[in-house]
Amino acid sequence: MAGDKMLFVIVIGCGRLGANLASGMSAAGHSVVAVDSRQSAFDALDSRFSGYKIEGDATEFAVLQQAKTVSADLVVAVTDNDNVNLMAAQIAATVFKVPRVVARIEDPRKEDIYRALGIETICPATLAGRAFMASLESTPPKGAHNA
Amino acid sequence: MNVLIVGGGKVVYFLCRAFISKGYSLTIVNRDSAECAWLARRLKAVIVHGDGTDLQILEECGAERCDAILAVTGHDQDNLAICQQARIRFNVQRTLAMVNDPDNEEVFRKLGVSAAFSTTRIITSLIEQRTGFEDIINLVPLEEGKVNLTEVVLRDISPVAGRALSDIALPENSLIAIVTRNGSPIIPRGGTVLAAGDRLVVITLPENMGRVIKLLTGGR
């Protein structure tokens, strides 16, 4: 993120990851709106969060309008449903022309389609896979100890 | 024509029955195995059990060979994912989706889906047409929303009541297609004289619709 500039950020999905992101961004001084379809999800936000909470389904256009998506600098779509993330991210990028949109996806096979639609993705499975591979590659073969 | 349909329920069953009678060749994807078995017993179609938003399932269904895909699951986000993958990965020319949120008709079109239909919007519009409380009713959008079909009721104050069509200077790209008077429709010609109480079906492009309505009703 660009230096100390305050951003208007919308976090869609307030689960473990979303709540963490929203709280962290809010603590860093950004203006944050958290969106989740369950009111109880906002319990996961910590005391550092001073933004707005909107209870609503992010696939409902009126909810994205209410969140003022049109003025957002960044939209992060991190619900636990890939297709909800894909839809909210596309609407943010294409209809509301949000300059930066990042979505979390569970299914790595969907990464291509997001890329084709101009949406940045973060896939925990791919990242974890890479980290495991890197860690495995640095493991010395068993025979090395006996050499 | 090869059509791939993703979804379930009676909607899919009756849609497929209609399509099969038109001679289309159908593949249906449904994620409920019992429903797949039920459909398979009743329809002459290829039934695939699986998640239609899954790329691999779409590939197995022969998405790349189909002329159109119809996404009619109960979730807007799934229908969008199906249409986008079909369009981008399998180059399907016609992607159609059913949506719950009426706003998503326009949103989906902006995102590249060929056409989206909201049952809520269709039912609302049908009820308006049947009850006729409104003077101006938007009927169906044609050509992916690039043409409007509108019903206008002429009141006593209408500046065109009592005038022949040939005397009315309609803006370009607009047409009075049907005049319904006392329940009987007329396809009007230049000599047709409009009267208060007439219901007109008007075809316009969206950009001049406002002017046409103003000309016919005198207001708005």
Side-chain angles (χ1 to χ4, degrees), chain B residues 80-93:
Chain B
L80 181 65
I82 293 159
C83 289
Q84 295 293 53
Q85 306 208 66
R87 182 171 71 90
I88 294 166
R89 298 298 287 271
F90 301 109
N91 201 21
V92 177
Q93 296 300 310

Side-chain angles (χ1 to χ4, degrees), chain B residues 28-107:
Chain B
I28 304 168
V29 186
N30 188 297
R31 56 201 308 179
D32 183 284
S33 61
E35 210 176 320
C36 284
W38 189 89
L39 289 168
R41 279 198 301 275
R42 283 164 182 83
L43 295 171
K44 257 188 79 177
V46 179
I47 317 281
V48 178
H49 175 224
D51 176 1
T53 73
D54 187 318
L55 207 57
Q56 209 171 329
I57 295 284
L58 287 176
E59 190 168 3
E60 283 167 18
C61 296
E64 62 203 330
R65 289 185 307 277
C66 68
D67 303 297
I69 188 160
L70 196 57
V72 292
T73 76
H75 303 282
D76 292 8
Q77 66 269 22
D78 294 346
N79 292 340
L80 181 65
I82 293 159
C83 289
Q84 295 293 53
Q85 306 208 66
R87 182 171 71 90
I88 294 166
R89 298 298 287 271
F90 301 109
N91 201 21
V92 177
Q93 296 300 310
R94 301 283 299 167
T95 52
L96 302 110
M98 195 166 75
V99 292
N100 292 310
D101 182 354
D103 289 342
N104 281 339
E105 285 192 342
E106 197 191 333
V107 169

Side-chain angles (χ1 to χ4, degrees), chain B residues 151-164:
Chain B
E151 189 174 77
V152 181
V153 180
L154 298 188
R155 296 289 166 203
D156 301 336
I157 53 156
S158 162
V160 295
R163 289 172 60 190

Side-chain angles (χ1 to χ4, degrees), chain A residues 70-104:
Chain A
V70 71
S71 328
D73 299 300
L74 169 66
V75 168
V76 189
V78 289
T79 75
D80 58 5
N81 182 316
D82 276 359
N83 294 338
V84 170
N85 293 345
L86 178 63
M87 179 163 167
Q90 274 182 82
I91 296 175
T94 310
V95 180
F96 292 111
K97 315 266 183 249
V98 175
R100 192 160 178 209
V101 179
V102 187
R104 185 252 303 262

Side-chain angles (χ1 to χ4, degrees), chain A residues 10-145:
Chain A
I10 299 176
V11 177
I12 294 166
C14 199
R16 277 190 300 264
L17 177 59
N20 197 320
L21 270 173
S23 302
M25 299 250 225
S26 188
H30 299 297
S31 170
V32 181
V33 174
V35 180
D36 201 290
S37 55
R38 295 162 305 126
Q39 180 70 39
S40 61
F42 300 125
D43 295 346
L45 292 164
D46 66 35
S47 57
R48 297 173 299 160
F49 183 80
S50 60
Y52 290 96
K53 304 161 198 170
I54 293 180
E55 183 193 352
D57 185 339
T59 64
E60 189 182 328
F61 192 66
V63 170
L64 292 177
Q65 276 177 318
Q66 192 196 346
K68 303 212 166 44
T69 310
V70 71
S71 328
D73 299 300
L74 169 66
V75 168
V76 189
V78 289
T79 75
D80 58 5
N81 182 316
D82 276 359
N83 294 338
V84 170
N85 293 345
L86 178 63
M87 179 163 167
Q90 274 182 82
I91 296 175
T94 310
V95 180
F96 292 111
K97 315 266 183 249
V98 175
R100 192 160 178 209
V101 179
V102 187
R104 185 252 303 262
I105 49 171
E106 304 287 349
D107 182 354
R109 290 173 303 178
K110 285 195 175 128
E111 277 184 312
D112 284 2
I113 201 95
Y114 276 86
R115 208 168 297 127
L117 293 162
I119 296 157
E120 261 180 79
T121 55
I122 292 175
C123 177
T126 309
L127 293 180
R130 244 182 256 147
F132 272 112
M133 283 308 287
S135 141
L136 292 176
E137 273 161 18
S138 64
T139 307
K142 220 174 180 180
H145 295 293

Side-chain angles (χ1 to χ4, degrees), chain B residues 109-134:
Chain B
R109 262 176 240 135
K110 283 184 181 165
L111 297 179
V113 174
S114 313
F117 309 96
S118 152
T119 24
T120 317
R121 213 240 342 116
I122 293 169
I123 294 169
T124 313
S125 146
L126 285 175
I127 291 172
E128 278 181 348
Q129 286 170 50
R130 294 297 187 275
T131 52
F133 289 134
E134 303 281 333

